[in-house]
Amino acid sequence: MKAPFFAISRHRLHVDGPGVTTLVCFHGCPLRCKYCINKQCWTNEGKCRRADEEGLISELMIDDLYFKATGGGICFGGGEPLLYSAFIDAFCRHRPQEWNIFLETSLNIPLHHLEQVAPWVHRFYIDIKDMNADIYRRYTGYDNQQVIDNLRWLSHQGMQHLVTIRLPLIKDFNNDLCRTASQQRLEEMGFHQFDKFDYIIQR
């Protein structure tokens, strides 16, 4: 089984989880966010390479001691990593067990992808954009009901303590009142760890 990647970023410290991490960015995304910083993952054009899980593990083994000494590991991002849930599942089954697994996701994917990966994940970083359906649709081009359903599934599994939800301010799309409303809805689901920030706009 091979998956496409457009970037691997090593020696990240306390960025994608505790300790030293390596960010593995998958190619492909179901969304079309207006201020996306990785538009190269939208199409098959541009630089992209493929590897199977054993090849990726071998490539990342160079940092094995860093991961084990600091409690770090691998952060899967993208693009949307959950499009490649079968690959992540296979990777996790064969990796050194001391490597922690972190996941950066929009969560706008069918539930079966999340179900396959969730048992391996030590922390989820979920960028929900905004809980308001109209704001979400205008910004991403897609509906957010799937995101909400997946958040509810995580809540029903009692996994809220493993989730950090990113709550951005998105210029021309939402504001502080919108973000407060999103946080309140998420708190009602049992989520309490939030990362609030402003999007840096790259035009």
Side-chain angles (χ1 to χ4, degrees):
M1 177 189 314
K2 289 190 175 183
F5 308 94
F6 69 86
I8 294 177
S9 178
R10 298 172 55 227
H11 297 166
R12 298 164 67 89
L13 186 61
H14 301 296
V15 176
D16 314 296
V20 175
T21 58
T22 292
L23 176 64
V24 176
C25 295
F26 286 94
H27 187 277
C29 185
L31 305 180
R32 293 295 181 265
C33 299
K34 296 296 189 292
Y35 302 140
C36 179
I37 63 172
N38 290 325
K39 290 184 179 179
Q40 67 268 36
C41 76
W42 288 4
T43 70
N44 291 325
E45 299 176 0
K47 294 182 178 180
C48 178
R49 66 185 184 88
R50 291 180 175 270
D52 61 24
E53 65 274 13
E54 292 181 357
L56 182 61
I57 290 170
S58 295
E59 181 174 345
L60 302 179
M61 192 62 71
I62 190 173
D63 291 324
D64 178 60
L65 289 178
Y66 290 117
F67 300 152
K68 291 177 178 176
T70 66
I74 309 304
C75 181
F76 289 112
E80 175 51 67
L82 286 177
L83 293 174
Y84 304 96
S85 56
F87 179 95
I88 295 174
D89 180 45
F91 176 95
C92 291
R93 291 179 187 277
H94 294 94
R95 85 196 194 284
Q97 294 304 301
E98 298 88 350
W99 294 9
N100 290 323
I101 301 296
F102 312 106
L103 191 75
E104 295 182 345
T105 175
S106 70
L107 218 58
N108 202 332
I109 39 74
L111 176 59
H112 69 89
H113 292 294
L114 177 60
E115 290 176 322
Q116 186 170 19
V117 168
W120 300 111
V121 178
H122 294 87
R123 177 149 295 277
F124 296 87
Y125 296 93
I126 301 173
D127 185 356
I128 56 115
K129 319 302 178 185
D130 198 284
M131 292 290 282
N132 179 282
D134 181 60
I135 293 172
Y136 189 96
R137 189 178 299 106
R138 286 190 294 109
Y139 180 66
T140 69
Y142 290 87
D143 184 79
N144 71 338
Q145 187 57 54
Q146 199 163 229
V147 178
I148 295 170
D149 290 343
N150 288 334
L151 286 167
R152 287 180 176 143
W153 183 86
L154 286 169
S155 177
H156 291 157
Q157 304 306 306
M159 301 180 74
Q160 299 97 318
H161 64 292
L162 300 179
V163 174
T164 297
I165 294 183
R166 291 175 170 161
L167 291 174
L169 284 182
I170 312 173
K171 180 178 171 59
D172 300 327
F173 288 91
N174 70 354
N175 54 39
D176 279 311
L177 289 177
C178 300
R179 182 161 68 176
T180 298
S182 291
Q183 181 171 336
Q184 289 174 344
R185 287 186 63 184
L186 291 159
E187 287 175 344
E188 290 171 0
M189 296 183 193
F191 297 101
H192 294 284
Q193 299 182 66
F194 302 103
D195 176 17
K196 297 181 180 180
F197 59 98
D198 293 7
Y199 272 177
I200 298 174
I201 311 304
Q202 298 183 358
R203 296 183 183 278

